[in-house]
Amino acid sequence: MNSITNSYKNNPSHVNHRVPLDFSSVLTVPDSHEWVFEPHTLGSVPLINLSDPNAKSLVRQACEEWGVFQVINHGVSMKLLKEVEVETFRLFSLPTHQKICALRSPDGIIGYGVPRISSYYSKLLWCEGFSMMESPVEHATQLWPHQPDQQTTFWYLTSLMK
């Protein structure tokens, strides 16, 4: 078992931090939640060129200082990126009752839910996410139990991104 899995098993997230709001019925940020966005004062998000020989250290620095970065010269086609964007929109547009079929367990690292970092904030985070490792087949079956064509599309696109 990898160290991330062990860490999450030893530090399960609080139950209230597991299930995102039903975003289709709540249109503004309630008092119980917060929209976390802290603009960085140094400028724009770091741009990492993967053909740069220093890319590895630049990624590390961006993660430590920003927590986010943009990648160029990654070799992924724009067509594939657009298809992934369409499928991502389709995934998060599913009704909540369908998304929670793939709900992440309190000690888990994969599935649907709020980011694990939400337990470090005084309020719940106004967001949702979906984490996968290895084969997306199980997730696709949970999300679209009666739609094999959607399962296949989801599996195909996520397997191409590996």
Side-chain angles (χ1 to χ4, degrees):
M1 197 177 301
N2 69 42
S3 61
I4 295 173
T5 302
N6 285 334
S7 175
Y8 286 171
K9 284 193 180 299
N10 294 333
N11 301 292
S13 62
H14 189 277
V15 173
N16 291 337
H17 290 220
R18 285 187 14 197
V19 183
L21 287 175
D22 180 355
F23 292 99
S24 64
S25 64
V26 181
L27 303 178
T28 59
V29 181
D31 290 339
S32 59
H33 287 69
E34 66 181 307
W35 175 254
V36 178
F37 178 72
E38 298 175 18
H40 206 284
T41 57
L42 296 178
S44 62
V45 170
L47 185 65
I48 309 290
N49 183 339
L50 289 186
S51 64
D52 185 325
N54 297 318
K56 185 177 177 180
S57 63
L58 293 171
V59 167
R60 180 186 179 113
Q61 181 181 0
C63 288
E64 290 174 349
E65 294 177 10
W66 284 78
V68 66
F69 55 91
Q70 181 180 353
V71 178
I72 60 171
N73 292 326
H74 44 66
V76 179
S77 74
M78 286 306 293
K79 181 180 184 286
L80 177 58
L81 291 173
K82 271 296 189 202
E83 289 174 359
V84 168
E85 183 180 8
V86 166
E87 290 305 312
T88 300
F89 182 78
R90 188 186 323 232
L91 170 69
F92 288 106
S93 295
L94 289 171
T96 300
H97 74 273
Q98 195 168 347
K99 290 185 280 192
I100 62 171
C101 290
L103 187 64
R104 181 184 317 117
S105 67
D107 62 350
I109 59 173
I110 60 171
Y112 174 71
V114 297
R116 294 277 310 206
I117 62 165
S118 63
S119 61
Y120 296 105
Y121 290 87
S122 60
K123 294 184 176 186
L124 299 172
L125 298 181
W126 178 256
C127 63
E128 61 184 335
F130 197 89
S131 304
M132 290 185 294
M133 291 178 70
E134 300 178 14
S135 174
V137 172
E138 180 183 339
H139 299 297
T141 305
Q142 292 171 330
L143 293 165
W144 297 281
H146 307 295
Q147 295 176 293
D149 58 326
Q150 186 60 46
Q151 293 172 20
T152 302
T153 302
F154 185 76
W155 173 85
Y156 172 72
L157 290 173
T158 53
S159 66
L160 288 176
M161 293 302 291
K162 290 185 174 188

